[in-house]
Amino acid sequence: MINRISDPDGPKIIVCCGSGGVGKTTLSAAIGLYGALSGKKTIVLTIDPARRLADSLGLKDFNVDAQRVPLEQLSDIPRPFEGQLYAMMLDAKRTFDNLIFRHAPADLTKNIFKNRYYQHLSNNMAGSHEYMAMEKLYEIYHQDKYDLIVLDTPPSRRALDFLEAPGKLLNLLGHNFFLKMFRPYLHAGRLGMRVFNILAYPVLRAVGKVIGKQVLEDLAGFMQLWNDVLFEGFSRRAETVKTLLSGNMTLFLAIATPQHLPMTEAVFLYEKLSRNNMPFGGFIINRVHVLENQELFDTDRHGMAEFFNKKSIDDRLAEKLGITFNNYMKMSESDAHAINDLINKIGSNVDILQIPVAEGEIAHLNDLVRLSRMF
Amino acid sequence: MAGDNTDGLYHKERTGSLRQPADLWAKQLFSRRLIFVMGKGGVGKTTISVALGKAAARDKKKVLLLEIGDTGTIGNIFNKKVLPEVPLKLSSNIWGARVNPKAELAAYTNAYVNSGFIANRIVKSRLFDYLAEATPGLKEVMSLGCIWRWEKKKKEQLENAFDLIIVDAPATGHALSLLRLPDLLINMIRVGPLVAQIRRLQNLFKDHRKTCILLVTLAEELPVNEAMEFYCLAEDELHMPVAATFINCVYPVLFDKDEVRQIKRMKDQFEANLPNPHHVILETALRQINRRNIQQTYIDRIRAKTTGHVREIPFYFTNDLTLIHIEELL
């Protein structure tokens, strides 16, 4: 599955989905590196990398431009190679602000930034990060500067929020019903508009009573700005991105660790994508405690005890070594169990890639190279 | 865990157990009314929430576990489906319920709009959905309102009142906006019945004798970084300092320095002619030692930063903790 990335006719967009804490960002970086090492000009769009990963990717704080990853630092890769790797940090607030700057008339931008709905929406509202990721994807795809785009999706409990949130946000901001409702009460002028007479309408009056008139006025103001200035462009781009993500240029990967919740989310993603005929590339199960040569361990217990005794290791140490090993066995059995469950659910013809648990932390580019060799 | 002899070693590191009745800290904790269990996604908030609930129940408290959203993780632990909105008895002295912001907003609207006809029209209108989704924090404040309603029952000495409410909060980002909300909304809405209500909520939250925040983390880079930021935010912005931190999934310290040296020596010495399984055993031990050392650096960072209580929760080497395990955690 992932090895299709190195294929010159392979996918152009990789979307890494999964619940929080499964190592999505690290794996996205490794996938990007894999693409770069196979000769492609690759960019990784990432959300919130761990400090040390960001450092090793050369990402500087507060910089939202694409930054080149210094691959010349890599020690053990074949040279020369053609690929390049770029990384970019996504920032919801800034992406929104930039959109406004770019698409809204200058005299209106100030009003938009001042609107409390906008302030909240651009940074806090569920879906805004996902929406922003899509905007960025659209922008970069249409720049046509890269052979491969790897998108690390925002951490969400429901892995699929990423796909649904933008639509939800659009629905929410969809103009028709809301403006119809407010139009009679809006000033004709576009600038500095106020909502007049909202309280003349019984339903609105009641709503105003509950949540406050000010809130309604702000909302109406925002809707007006949104509708006049941004809506069309936003929805057009969202549509394009949706088409893009459904096509054969794209590959979705479900990333999980063997715990219950991440696995459930990954299966949920897989089923959803299958239902919608979207391109699914496979599962990556991260941090698996792999057990090699399993049959040896069952039979050689006694031999081992003897061996350690002969080397005059005291009983206590031998016992502790046994405990440590038992723990690992227990963990690997638990992981194997989780992966079997997954296979039972999805059948055996979907790709599942297992990434063994790392010994230390993945903090350096060379660690990412090691990781990318598993693809 | 069952059947092997690791127990003694796991527990060696621990500084006491909530099971001891004399545990002053636990007594203090469970004398609170409201506990928010916070932390990054995937660190084990639900597990810790349930463990706390179990410990409080042993301390004769009547406990309500509240879940925000519909992930169903609490229900799952108790072999139940997604929790209902009305408390469901889960085990002795423990009830569970789900917070459903929209239902709460509907109830609230019904209570505050005199005309039932209009209230109904509002609740059924798309505008209502809209407002619930788009109004900054309206959904969250309704979650808070629900929490507050359960809290109030005790004060009014109503039946089915709970001594302790444990909120299994959503991942830090969302949970933060939840707790920031009272301030934000008061500023935004300014006047009206909602504001008065929010003020009461705010007073409850900021009363340290009644409400506290517990943070769950793993001894890993990202969760610990987030914890570091959260300590500051909680203290300076929310004015709700973190009362205790639970570091989850801590590996046991099995070997002393001498033993580690011995293992390394053995591995070097016998690298070439060591039969495979023996080799793997030594390697596995060294890996776990390494892992534990890395964890220690993060544990130290937490301990250096927080003024609250810190408790290390041992790793159980399984993906599926059962209720029996969870009961033993605290």
Side-chain angles (χ1 to χ4, degrees):
Chain A
M1 55 159 165
I2 306 178
N3 49 25
R4 275 184 51 207
I5 295 167
S6 55
D7 187 338
D9 301 319
K12 293 210 173 337
I13 298 171
I14 305 289
V15 186
C16 301
C17 298
S19 50
V22 297
K24 237 182 342 206
T25 302
T26 307
L27 280 168
S28 302
I31 291 168
L33 188 62
Y34 181 82
L37 293 180
S38 65
K40 296 191 173 181
K41 188 174 175 191
T42 305
I43 184 163
V44 179
L45 306 180
T46 185
I47 311 287
D48 183 20
R51 188 67 264 143
R52 297 207 284 149
L53 180 64
D55 286 345
S56 62
L57 291 174
L59 287 173
K60 303 272 181 305
D61 259 347
F62 308 117
N63 190 341
V64 288
D65 301 324
Q67 298 171 62
R68 206 181 65 84
V69 179
L71 292 187
E72 56 277 2
Q73 282 179 8
L74 289 174
S75 49
D76 54 345
I77 52 160
R79 278 167 215 279
F81 66 96
E82 300 233 307
Q84 292 172 51
L85 184 61
Y86 290 80
M88 182 187 256
M89 260 194 277
L90 299 178
D91 178 310
K93 179 95 178 86
R94 271 179 205 236
T95 308
F96 264 98
D97 288 357
N98 280 339
L99 276 169
I100 305 280
F101 270 127
R102 205 169 321 142
H103 299 287
D107 54 344
L108 271 185
T109 49
K110 221 173 85 198
N111 279 28
I112 297 179
F113 290 145
K114 255 184 11 208
N115 186 288
R116 279 175 290 185
Y117 267 87
Y118 174 77
Q119 287 168 10
H120 177 77
L121 179 92
S122 59
N123 210 22
N124 284 314
M125 196 166 124
S128 53
H129 288 258
E130 287 83 355
Y131 192 89
M132 165 273 304
M134 285 220 173
E135 283 285 352
K136 215 68 208 181
L137 184 63
Y138 175 91
E139 185 189 315
I140 288 172
Y141 183 77
H142 285 274
Q143 283 173 357
D144 206 18
K145 284 203 312 213
Y146 302 94
D147 306 318
L148 179 68
I149 304 170
V150 181
L151 179 63
D152 167 26
T153 60
S156 47
R157 198 138 186 195
R158 281 265 158 209
L160 234 90
D161 283 0
F162 165 70
L163 278 180
E164 289 180 344
K168 231 167 144 184
L169 198 65
L170 268 182
N171 271 338
L172 202 65
L173 302 171
H175 49 338
N176 287 333
F177 119 86
F178 206 84
L179 276 170
K180 261 184 216 146
M181 183 158 240
F182 277 115
R183 188 151 285 143
Y185 314 105
L186 290 172
H187 243 326
R190 301 205 324 171
L191 279 173
M193 98 235 19
R194 302 289 297 167
V195 179
F196 271 171
N197 220 4
I198 228 176
L199 301 178
Y201 191 56
V203 170
L204 286 184
R205 190 168 58 214
V207 170
K209 220 171 128 186
V210 177
I211 65 166
K213 182 168 162 265
Q214 177 69 45
V215 174
L216 275 185
E217 288 186 355
D218 262 1
L219 181 57
F222 177 70
M223 291 312 303
Q224 178 87 340
L225 288 169
W226 174 270
N227 186 64
D228 286 358
V229 178
L230 298 163
F231 178 75
E232 221 186 289
F234 268 49
S235 48
R236 199 183 51 238
R237 285 190 298 276
E239 269 313 303
T240 316
V241 170
K242 219 167 156 190
T243 315
L244 194 65
L245 291 181
S246 313
N248 52 9
M249 301 268 223
T250 304
L251 211 53
F252 281 87
L253 300 174
I255 300 178
T257 49
Q259 283 103 43
H260 179 75
L261 191 69
M263 290 296 245
T264 312
E265 296 297 299
V267 172
F268 186 79
L269 174 80
Y270 164 72
E271 286 170 349
K272 190 100 185 178
L273 289 174
S274 321
R275 262 203 309 280
N276 291 303
N277 272 326
M278 293 180 86
F280 184 71
F283 292 86
I284 302 181
I285 311 302
N286 198 11
R287 300 191 202 121
V288 179
H289 297 73
V290 183
L291 201 55
E292 307 137 69
N293 309 327
Q294 189 158 10
E295 64 286 11
L296 279 173
F297 301 130
D298 297 334
T299 52
D300 273 28
R301 282 277 161 84
H302 289 293
M304 248 165 336
E306 249 171 63
F307 173 86
F308 284 125
N309 273 334
K310 267 190 225 140
K311 299 292 170 201
S312 65
I313 298 172
D314 70 58
D315 288 350
R316 189 74 187 130
L317 180 55
E319 191 200 331
K320 288 182 190 172
L321 283 168
I323 291 169
T324 313
F325 192 68
N326 274 341
N327 283 340
Y328 189 84
M329 291 260 285
K330 227 181 109 187
M331 202 58 230
S332 69
E333 277 159 19
S334 186
D335 287 355
H337 183 75
I339 291 164
N340 273 334
D341 274 358
L342 177 66
I343 296 171
N344 286 337
K345 272 185 204 139
I346 59 162
S348 50
N349 41 16
V350 182
D351 279 330
I352 299 176
L353 176 69
Q354 299 184 32
I355 308 283
V357 65
E359 287 183 32
E361 291 177 308
I362 294 175
H364 192 269
L365 275 179
N366 284 318
D367 302 328
L368 288 180
V369 174
R370 254 202 327 274
L371 197 55
S372 71
R373 294 226 165 96
M374 295 171 195
F375 298 154
Chain B
M1 180 110 295
D4 61 32
N5 56 356
T6 53
D7 260 308
L9 288 155
Y10 274 110
H11 293 237
K12 199 172 102 186
E13 281 294 294
R14 292 165 64 187
T15 49
S17 160
L18 300 194
R19 277 159 190 268
Q20 297 160 5
D23 194 324
L24 197 67
W25 177 78
K27 275 258 176 276
Q28 266 176 9
L29 182 66
F30 297 145
S31 71
R32 304 275 209 323
R33 300 276 305 122
L34 190 54
I35 295 176
F36 286 95
V37 180
M38 320 259 294
K40 192 174 170 356
V43 298
K45 284 184 295 290
T46 305
T47 307
I48 298 295
S49 301
V50 173
L52 278 167
K54 282 279 181 186
R58 284 197 299 269
D59 203 26
K60 306 274 188 301
K61 301 284 183 200
K62 201 173 162 190
V63 182
L64 176 63
L65 291 172
L66 276 182
E67 177 170 79
I68 296 180
D70 57 358
T71 51
T73 36
I74 291 183
N76 193 39
I77 289 175
F78 288 94
N79 284 320
K80 300 245 174 10
K81 296 207 176 73
V82 174
L83 296 174
E85 283 143 31
V86 182
L88 172 76
K89 186 158 185 180
L90 296 173
S91 74
S92 163
N93 266 341
I94 298 185
W95 280 256
R98 174 170 70 103
V99 173
N100 179 352
K102 240 185 103 179
E104 195 68 23
L105 182 59
Y108 180 83
T109 306
N110 271 310
Y112 273 88
V113 176
N114 300 330
S115 152
F117 173 71
I118 289 187
N120 257 327
R121 270 191 66 192
I122 294 177
V123 171
K124 290 209 177 97
S125 71
R126 260 189 81 193
L127 174 67
F128 182 79
D129 283 345
Y130 217 97
L131 287 169
E133 287 291 330
T135 301
L138 193 59
K139 246 161 84 175
E140 285 90 347
V141 87
M142 286 300 141
S143 305
L144 295 178
C146 180
I147 295 166
W148 184 69
R149 217 154 35 91
W150 291 115
E151 203 281 333
K152 210 171 62 169
K153 285 202 169 170
K154 168 80 175 177
K155 209 158 59 199
E156 293 168 359
Q157 301 197 314
L158 294 173
E159 253 179 89
N160 71 8
F162 296 96
D163 300 311
L164 178 65
I165 300 170
I166 298 174
V167 183
D168 179 13
T172 317
H174 288 175
L176 253 181
S177 48
L178 194 79
L179 293 175
R180 265 185 194 145
L181 206 74
D183 297 333
L184 179 82
L185 273 177
I186 287 175
N187 176 35
M188 192 144 178
I189 301 179
R190 290 173 199 173
V191 283
L194 205 52
V195 171
Q197 191 138 333
I198 296 165
R199 277 198 206 286
R200 283 196 290 270
L201 199 68
Q202 201 182 26
N203 291 338
L204 168 66
F205 283 5
K206 304 207 166 164
D207 184 343
H208 300 183
R209 287 159 313 172
K210 284 188 176 165
T211 305
C212 75
I213 292 180
L214 302 185
L215 188 68
V216 184
T217 184
L218 298 173
E220 290 172 15
E221 184 183 4
L222 280 177
V224 168
N225 285 350
E226 209 177 277
M228 294 292 153
E229 281 172 33
F230 187 73
Y231 289 131
C232 299
L233 278 174
E235 187 118 24
D236 303 339
E237 198 184 311
L238 298 174
H239 306 292
M240 297 170 70
V242 176
T245 305
F246 292 88
I247 308 175
N248 204 2
C249 300
V250 177
Y251 273 59
V253 177
L254 285 177
F255 306 98
D256 60 33
K257 277 190 188 137
D258 270 351
E259 290 169 327
V260 174
R261 265 198 295 275
Q262 217 176 330
I263 296 169
K264 280 187 181 148
R265 205 171 50 233
M266 269 197 294
K267 195 182 159 247
D268 294 343
Q269 234 169 341
F270 306 124
E271 186 92 68
N273 52 10
L274 201 62
N276 195 15
H278 311 76
H279 188 80
V280 174
I281 284 193
L282 295 178
E283 200 130 78
T284 305
L286 286 173
R287 267 209 297 258
Q288 277 187 39
I289 290 163
N290 183 33
R291 179 76 181 261
R292 185 59 177 80
N293 288 340
I294 293 173
Q295 285 193 333
Q296 191 59 46
T297 59
Y298 291 113
I299 294 170
D300 292 343
R301 272 182 72 193
I302 296 266
R303 288 191 183 275
K305 177 90 179 182
T306 180
T307 49
H309 193 87
V310 177
R311 195 170 290 253
E312 296 169 27
I313 309 291
F315 185 43
Y316 270 64
F317 296 95
T318 175
N319 295 311
D320 316 282
L321 277 184
T322 64
L323 201 52
I324 300 161
H325 292 134
I326 292 174
E327 266 208 88
E328 287 173 356
L329 282 181
L330 292 174

